[in-house]
Amino acid sequence: MQTTVVVGGGCSGALTAIHVSGPADRVVLVDPAPADTLGRGAAYRTTDPTHLLNSRAAAMSALADTPDDFVDWCREQGLPIGPADFAPRAVFGDYLHDRLRGADFEHARGVAIRLDAGRERLSVVLRGGQTVAADRVVLALGHGAPAGPLSITSAVRTHPYYVGNPWTPGALDRVPGDVPVLLIGTGLTALDVAMSLSNRGRRAPLHAVSRRGLLPQPHLETQPKATGTFAHDGADARGLLRAVRRYAATEADWRCAVDTLRPQIDRLWRQLSVDARRRFLQHVAAYWEVHRHRMAPTVAARVAALRDSGALRTHAAAIHSIRRGERGFVVTLRFKDKDVSWPVGAIVNCTGPGGAATSTLGRALLDDGLARRDPTGTGLDVDGHGRLVGRDGEPSDRIFAIGPTRRGAWWETTAVPEIRSQAAALARVPVPA
């Protein structure tokens, strides 16, 4: 019997274990979380009912060969969630956990800190010195902890009213309700935090700040179907952007174009030159993200109401500096034409998740030469099959990455449909003897 060790017990790890487990294979899931929380990860561990999926339930099956599985599970639980609905993320977390419990795997509770990859031996080394022997390792590291801006000094980071990671359980409990709060970021994380804090009867505004001040776009209540197809070949980012704009203009709504592009994103990404990828990341990625990762209609309505009332205020500005003040912090924002300073009582870092390369295991893989950064420097490098590429430029036949761990070398790799497909593909790859 061959052993696959999956490092990470969140969504990516759960989907991997669900697909690769079977009577002929031993699967070990390495994660420090208690067994009753496996499968949820940071995104689906939330208990706030206003935190909804940003995809319709029909797209969220954990099983590659059973597309209606999530919707059917909701029906079995007596939940009024249909294919076109945006379910609470906590419900999806319960579903993933339930499906994972039905898989045949062992749980090794601990933190993986490095891989021991000798010529005859492969094992996962845990903090404390324990090891888990493997024939194959799948890195399902998920999203890394948020990386704060350079303006976050140690004096700010250690302040009791600075929240470095809003997904840490109970982190928002220490944010006072009677002082202005700075949210660093205007993406989906910032909107989640804004809704959670506004649910607590706030008496002071929330200020969400990002360089461009872009908010995620909303889903439509009813999504029209695309009528055309998209095809493009080329290594230039500008040419790709022009082709996308031309195609979007032929559809009834731009969302049709984005959804049609989605299955082709990794092909388009890999055919771009490295310089074109870097230009995309610098100039285009922020705009793509707010159109690709959209808000559920009810979330969009809630955010609009918060903005209309002044409870949530968004700003397009760079954070020039943050210093501790008498009752919190003094933040200086750099707008296009001037710098503005104002006091805030608390700060929540909503910049979004970090990458796998910055994790303890990711750094160890780089140091040991088992991994290298992808050409853009975003994350770990993998080949077209998800095999980890080492310092020598050769892909490993024993170490794989899945989900957000592939980000950088792949682009469309963070959502359930893509991770589910990756897990199903991994299940078809024979474990090395």
Side-chain angles (χ1 to χ4, degrees):
M1 180 176 288
Q2 303 298 302
T3 299
T4 295
V5 176
V6 182
V7 181
C11 176
S12 297
L15 291 173
T16 303
I18 288 168
H19 282 85
V20 304
S21 65
D25 296 298
R26 174 173 174 254
V27 176
V28 180
L29 195 64
V30 175
D31 194 275
D36 61 355
T37 66
L38 290 177
R40 292 181 170 88
Y44 308 119
R45 194 170 54 227
T46 177
T47 58
D48 190 326
T50 65
H51 292 171
L52 304 182
L53 296 173
N54 60 355
S55 292
R56 300 178 196 274
M60 299 298 290
S61 172
L63 308 180
D65 58 354
T66 313
D68 297 328
D69 190 62
F70 177 49
V71 175
D72 291 343
W73 181 89
C74 289
R75 187 180 301 114
E76 292 166 3
Q77 309 304 311
L79 299 172
I81 296 172
D85 294 330
F86 295 85
R89 295 212 302 266
V91 169
F92 186 72
D94 291 342
Y95 160 72
L96 271 183
H97 179 71
D98 187 56
R99 287 296 180 253
L100 179 61
R101 285 193 309 170
D104 185 12
F105 74 98
E106 302 168 26
H107 177 203
R109 190 173 179 185
V111 177
I113 59 171
R114 60 183 294 268
L115 299 187
D116 183 357
R119 183 167 300 184
E120 302 293 334
R121 169 188 174 88
L122 177 63
S123 59
V124 179
V125 181
L126 307 184
R127 185 174 293 154
Q130 309 97 312
T131 61
V132 183
D135 297 291
R136 172 174 66 175
V137 171
V138 180
L139 303 173
L141 306 182
H143 293 293
L150 295 177
S151 53
I152 304 298
T153 64
S154 59
V156 172
R157 193 179 302 112
T158 56
H159 193 287
Y161 290 160
Y162 173 75
V163 177
N165 186 351
W167 300 118
T168 301
L172 297 181
D173 293 344
R174 63 179 187 266
V175 177
D178 58 350
V179 295
V181 174
L182 174 70
L183 307 182
I184 304 176
T186 58
L188 290 171
T189 298
L191 299 185
D192 283 339
V193 170
M195 289 189 295
S196 291
L197 291 178
S198 65
N199 289 341
R200 304 181 181 195
R202 291 196 54 77
R203 298 180 299 282
L206 303 167
H207 295 274
V209 176
S210 67
R211 286 183 177 273
R212 296 179 176 88
L214 299 173
L215 289 175
Q217 294 292 305
H219 279 281
L220 297 177
E221 289 286 355
T222 303
Q223 174 70 40
K225 292 185 178 181
T227 57
T229 58
F230 177 82
H232 177 76
D233 290 305
D236 177 62
R238 186 171 296 177
L240 174 59
L241 186 59
R242 284 197 297 264
V244 170
R245 284 173 170 162
R246 285 196 301 268
Y247 170 60
T250 68
E251 293 291 346
D253 186 85
W254 59 262
R255 295 165 184 82
C256 301
V258 170
D259 293 346
T260 299
L261 280 168
R262 181 172 167 179
Q264 302 185 52
I265 290 299
D266 285 322
R267 176 187 63 81
L268 295 167
W269 182 253
R270 287 195 291 271
Q271 74 186 26
L272 289 176
S273 68
V274 173
D275 180 66
R277 294 182 198 179
R278 290 174 178 152
R279 289 172 61 82
F280 174 88
L281 291 172
Q282 182 178 0
H283 301 292
V284 183
Y287 297 95
W288 169 260
E289 293 290 87
V290 298
H291 290 83
R292 160 65 184 88
H293 299 284
R294 306 191 285 272
M295 295 183 282
T298 53
V299 171
R302 177 75 186 283
V303 170
L306 290 174
R307 297 183 73 192
D308 289 345
S309 69
L312 172 63
R313 304 171 188 178
T314 59
H315 310 273
I319 297 176
H320 177 61
S321 66
I322 302 175
R323 61 181 176 84
R324 294 177 72 143
E326 291 185 7
R327 297 187 59 191
F329 310 89
V330 176
V331 179
T332 300
L333 299 181
R334 177 155 290 171
F335 293 86
K336 287 184 177 181
D337 55 349
K338 60 181 177 179
D339 288 359
V340 177
S341 298
W342 69 59
V344 296
I347 299 173
V348 183
N349 179 21
C350 304
T351 54
T358 62
S359 67
T360 299
L361 179 56
R363 291 195 300 269
L365 291 167
L366 292 167
D367 290 343
D368 293 340
L370 297 176
R372 69 179 185 183
R373 286 187 175 271
D374 77 276
T376 68
T378 303
L380 302 179
D381 199 7
V382 298
D383 71 0
H385 302 286
R387 298 181 297 179
L388 197 68
V389 177
R391 185 186 296 155
D392 60 3
E394 294 296 321
S396 171
D397 63 351
R398 299 189 294 168
I399 307 172
F400 292 76
I402 191 169
T405 310
R406 298 185 181 187
R407 191 69 183 269
W410 293 35
W411 184 252
E412 188 64 40
T413 186
T414 62
V416 167
E418 285 72 31
I419 302 172
R420 177 182 65 214
S421 296
Q422 294 171 18
L426 273 176
R428 296 190 291 270
V429 176
V431 179

